[in-house]
Amino acid sequence: MQYLNKILIVYTTPVFRVKKKHNIRKRTMGKTTDQRRGDITMPVKYLKGVGEVRSRWLARLGINSILELMEFFPHTYIQRQINPSLHEVQAGDRIALTAMICWKEARQTAKNINQLNLGISDGKSLIICTWFHYPKQYEELFEQGKTIWVSGNVSEFNGQLQLLHPQFELITDSDLEDDFWKKRSVLPVYHLAVLLTQNLMRKLIYSAFEQYALQIRENLPQELIDKYSFPTRREALQKMHFTTHPEQVEGIRFRFVYEEFFYTQLMWARHKHYHQENVSGIAHEHRKVLTRELYKKLPYKLTNAQIRVIREIFADMQSDRQMSRLLQGDVGSGKTIVTLFAMLLSIENGFQAVLMAPTEILADQHYANITKLLEGMQISTCLLKGGSYKGKSQVKQAIAQGEIQIIVGTHAILQSDIEFASLGFAAVDEQHRFGVEQRAQLARKDKHPDLLYLSATPIPRSLSMTVYGDLEVSILDELPPNRKPVTTLVRSSAKIDLVYNEARRELQKGRQIYIVCPLIEESDKVDLIDAERLFKHISEKVFKGTSCALLHGRMKAREKDGIMLRFKAGEVKILVSTTVIEVGVDVPNASVMIVEHAERFGLAQLHQLRGRVGRGTEQAYCYLIEHFPISAIGRERLSTIAGTTDGFAIAEKDLELRGPGEYFGYEQSGLPRFRFANLLKDQDVLRLARMDAFDLVSSDPDLQKEENLLIRQFFFQAYGHKEELILY
Ligand code: ADP
Ligand code: MG
């Protein structure tokens, strides 16, 4: 036993052996071999020490199976020895180090806020850790003489270096029950959720490896492993958790990034191949009838970007392949008019055209805009919504008989009872709000119409091609002239009254105001302002006598629409809301956006929120209210958003500030979720993986060749169901 422990310490990664259990046979009679031994893909609740409750906590981190637990990587590592490097530290540095607790002091500030100071030292220099509003148990927790690991941003206060609200972990052995971790010189640190602790995570992960390490299967062929000198999958997984050389981890992570990209790109490569072989689309002719008519009557000049993009779209629509094109353009870049040109091209070829929006409000808005732009032209249009209402069946009939040329609507358009006479073109606004299935449904409609997906979420140029593997991309990178950029101001919550005063001036000019606060998760114990409390405060105190309304996610769609319509009509002056205010909703008279707890929002979200104002001709204002304490990343986000209105620059920064596997928010922004890869930092790997995947498909599209057996097995097991969705 003594001997084995020594081995564990000497080797970088522990050697796992399968434990023999004597009572196995009795407990699991009648089950297959795999189940008897326990399969690595089983739900994580079956792992010893997990169970129902903890498995729900793990699910919050995206961990559902035992394998996923083993694939849940630490975000950083703790070196257990005290690290004598404090003397080099300066304000502004981001540090993580192990030190000794020298003293602690609990006090109250002049404003009666509880403050805890902790002096920690590496034996030579000292730094102070400070917490405000800290949990009471910290006072017991931090004992003089204990070793502590801290991580955070260094600031300076009265000439003394300080870490404000650092992340920390006490690394005394007492609560490390596991013999294994006690002896490690390096400890992994994981993202946590609910009541999970670092110690519990370490214990569970060790236990998973102890029982299942031998079941970890390779998912890359030897050829690729050799090509990139990858470690085997088992070895790589072990090293991610049990390394004693954290500086080497980045090189190992590369393997996981590669495999993730490789298989997703393989899926898109196969999709493209399938599409090319099996689907023929419509070849539109550039007749220059309706499109010219629209061009002549436009109330403004098209921007150069709009002209370029219309050309790209027309060229694509003239080919006999089905178009699948993403039109990216920042809020207000003028995507609607571009879309309308494409619709008219299809209509002058005798087809029908569709514009689909994610909500009724947006559909209404598009319908109103489009009918206005088409005034005086002989084009029949209709609005199609969900549910049953008066006149709907006549509309459906008119669509089926080809009497209607432009159909604007919600996803009601996709319903199977909607038949088209001949659908030639379909556009999808805010495409990320629709799932892949809905996309596929539309792509398969009628004669395989040409498809245009609209997105206001800017993705860095270099990425969009590869992220949406199957789509061609057009970018509107120019705003129409004479737009006044929104004045963006970051204000501390202590100064909120000044902000309200400035907003009051806008109200007096007849303008309207949005006030947004963050969504509150159940598990959040942080004291946040919630929408209801804020609404009460605003409507009964601050802006008493002004008509206010509250909008939140638990309302029914109908109710939300009603409130939005009243705001749009100017009946409601102040709209207090969670983040549900619709992306794309256009209320030109609104000139002030106040975002409470702005430090809690992602960059893409802040950018979208700001885009709700500044849509009229007047100067607009966006106030970002920061609440103390604020994380370094939170602060960086705020200064980014205040510093630029360029959506692409913001998107780039957004990706930079996110770590790999940080999947909260990815869906919101419409980006697919990757567990290992960071789309910005790992672009080179993406390119390699994409090339390898496309090469493979061009030589063996059905993955039938002997040497591709392993790829085929893994691909169909892990990606088969996803691929079915996109074979259209
Ligand atoms: P988005 O890309 O956010 O959907 P819209 O298509 O709604 O933008 O256009 C935003 C506003 O800009 C609309 O009021 C539209 O009439 C106007 N617009 C579009 N193109 C131009 C242009 N070239 N010059 C002036 N105004 C334009
Ligand atoms: Mg729009």
Side-chain angles (χ1 to χ4, degrees), residues 512-545:
Q512 288 160 279
I513 296 176
Y514 292 101
I515 305 180
V516 175
C517 41
L519 209 67
I520 306 160
E521 287 191 42
E522 293 159 53
S523 71
D524 261 333
K525 296 196 186 66
V526 191
D527 192 26
L528 290 174
I529 297 177
D530 68 85
E532 272 161 27
R533 257 172 39 206
L534 183 63
F535 175 68
K536 227 167 135 62
H537 182 65
I538 292 287
S539 59
E540 291 173 12
K541 290 214 174 95
V542 187
F543 293 105
K544 198 166 174 219

Side-chain angles (χ1 to χ4, degrees), residues 329-336 362 365-366 369 429-430 454 456 583-586 612 615:
D330 217 336
V331 220
S333 59
K335 293 186 288 292
T336 314
L362 286 181
Q365 200 172 282
H366 277 308
N369 286 343
D429 195 17
E430 307 297 341
L454 313 186
V583 169
V585 165
D586 199 9
R612 298 304 101 229
R615 305 176 74 83

